[in-house]
Amino acid sequence: MKITLPVAYEYEVRLLKSKVGKKEDGIACSLEEFELASYSSLDVHLVAEWRQSWKRDGRVTNHGLNTKSSGDFARDLASNRALARLVLIDGKFHAPMHYERTIFNKPIMAADLIDLMSEEKKTVFNIFGSTTEGTLWHFRTADLIDRSGFEREGEKALEAVLPETHLREITKNDLEANKAKIRTHLNRMAAVDGVIFVEVPEPCIAVEVNDKSVTMTLQVRRDDASDGTLYFPLTDYEAANDHFVANKEGKETVVRKVADLQVFIPEALNANHERDEFLRCARNMIDGVGDDLRRLPKEVGGRWYDLRDLYDQLHASSSEDDLDRLQEAVLNLAAEISNQSDISENVREQAEIGRQLTERWQQRPLGI
């Protein structure tokens, strides 16, 4: 779908009547058309749903999720403000966004995007809590829009704020750069029945227990989590809930931000596990074959260096293309080893394990 959004930008003009080439700065606001991916609820895969406390200090209780999908996500999410859903779109997880409006919170609709850009004080939430990630503003955007003079009153027609060009020549502006920033945010968004969903990493349930409190939230697994934090996959909600309940007694603060979780496509929630196994396989192959590198033919050594260098370039947020290249490097090394006659059994075993785990990675449950 196409949406029109205000893009505030700073510009510089040269005064044409100035003998010394005097320059001035200004702020304008252009109305630009952007493309936003749009789907109906029939176009996406509903992986899971639950009751969510969207606000920072809110709590939800277990009492059963009685919302059945009506075939219209906008209707479902608006009528049950605690409802949250995880969907797959083109093999990537997406979840709805909410924002505070008076004392309530509500799902963000495509028509709300202008408000989110121009009103800096709104608190925006994704399933992991309050955030500015995924929203359309970057630092100073709301301030620039306000200073440009752009206004929007209800359904009043939008009007651009044009730069002052009388006896002035525009020498530079950052309009295109600001449009690019908005496109970057929109690329992570999709409208499902008009509700804004944002791309998210695979969530898990975190239960954090300390001397004074116990909390149950949705998070992304972190290596630096406290010793009292246990992570559970969404498919193990009952175990997470049991652990939460078992540690409530005597705590000053008990916060549950997720409840009544139901998973509809459990096989879609293995992506991180499969990825970790694949990266572990590549690392083991590098270490295992590397131990015998000096005794191996140069053809095998070349493939080994290709794999090692590519692995070293990867990081936690590697793209699918990065992992596909790593997969190809693993298979190339395994194939080169199998082509050699004078190779130790240890190296052959490493190559076979790498080949098998790479084939498992190729069959991972994405793009259902």
Side-chain angles (χ1 to χ4, degrees), residues 1-17:
M1 65 185 295
K2 294 187 181 299
I3 57 173
T4 299
L5 298 174
V7 184
Y9 62 96
E10 295 177 286
Y11 64 89
E12 184 180 90
V13 296
R14 182 174 63 86
L15 304 184
L16 297 179
K17 285 193 171 184

Side-chain angles (χ1 to χ4, degrees), residues 100-170:
E100 282 185 341
R101 196 161 194 172
T102 64
I103 62 174
F104 300 107
N105 71 83
K106 59 166 287 190
I108 297 172
M109 306 296 292
D112 299 323
L113 292 179
I114 290 179
D115 292 338
L116 294 181
M117 293 179 67
S118 56
E119 296 187 28
E120 189 175 23
K121 294 182 180 179
K122 276 192 171 64
T123 301
V124 178
F125 305 91
N126 65 22
I127 58 173
F128 302 117
S130 60
T131 180
T132 57
E133 183 183 11
T135 61
L136 289 180
W137 62 70
H138 56 92
F139 182 64
R140 295 180 63 233
T141 294
D143 177 58
L144 280 178
I145 289 177
D146 181 60
R147 287 166 56 201
S148 74
F150 176 84
E151 293 182 356
R152 186 198 189 204
E153 298 178 6
E155 298 303 316
K156 180 181 176 182
L158 305 181
E159 294 184 7
V161 180
L162 302 177
E164 177 57 56
T165 56
H166 181 62
L167 296 179
R168 291 168 168 82
E169 176 188 19
I170 297 178

